[in-house]
Amino acid sequence: ATRRRWTGSRRRPGAGPGPDVGPPPAPADDRIDRLFERTCDELRRHGRAHRDAVETADGPMSYVALETAAVRLARYLRRRRIAAGDRVALLLEKPEDALVAQLATARIGAAWVPLDARLPDAALAAVLAAAGVGVVLTTTDEASRLDGSDVDAVYVDRARTQIAKEDAQRLTGTERGSV
């Protein structure tokens, strides 16, 4: 019997790109948004939901605050017609904003594309085009960086008041969409 040589890929040698390339999508229960919800539920059961989830420049952020912020941003994104399967780029300086955006994006079944703010503007535009991104979550400080690209932007600093008015209850199955 001949052994196949490792090619550095899980793809069969000679197989072109197609729907079978890469790992299968994670089951719905293994998605990061569901894992985070289960963690929050477990902490609530034990009376620990107000414990610190992350440390920020503005002080600690509890699990409750993180979940609430993610749900509200997810609802806001849905109202902006961002849905399951969309690609959403994140150009956010503050790590806590990026974490909230990742959880919110996952909750609606969209994929986030993290961007390195250190990239030159032309390289940012190339990444956005190559990734097929339709919208960027960013701040007004970064607005000029998107001039060379053809994407919509959601300026989270400008929309904070509107986002804060969104319902903090968990999204329904319909609101989540499906991937």
Side-chain angles (χ1 to χ4, degrees), residues 59-95:
M61 187 177 207
S62 72
Y63 283 90
V64 169
L66 183 55
E67 181 177 35
T68 300
V71 168
R72 286 183 168 152
L73 179 57
R75 279 213 163 81
Y76 180 80
L77 296 176
R78 291 286 294 161
R79 291 190 200 294
R80 296 285 310 255
R81 305 233 189 289
I82 300 168
D86 289 345
R87 293 184 185 125
V88 179
L90 309 180
L91 183 59
L92 298 163
E93 287 282 327
K94 296 168 89 177

Side-chain angles (χ1 to χ4, degrees), residues 89-91 115 121-122 124-125 128 133 135-155:
L90 309 180
L91 183 59
L115 297 174
D121 294 356
L124 270 180
L128 293 170
V133 169
V135 66
V136 178
L137 299 184
T138 191
T139 60
T140 51
D141 292 343
E142 301 290 339
S144 64
R145 310 261 342 258
L146 303 174
D147 289 344
S149 62
D150 186 28
V151 295
D152 292 329
V154 171
Y155 300 104

Side-chain angles (χ1 to χ4, degrees), residues 43 48-56 59-66:
L43 289 170
R48 297 184 176 136
H50 290 283
R51 288 207 170 180
D52 298 348
V54 293
E55 191 67 38
T56 73
M61 187 177 207
S62 72
Y63 283 90
V64 169
L66 183 55

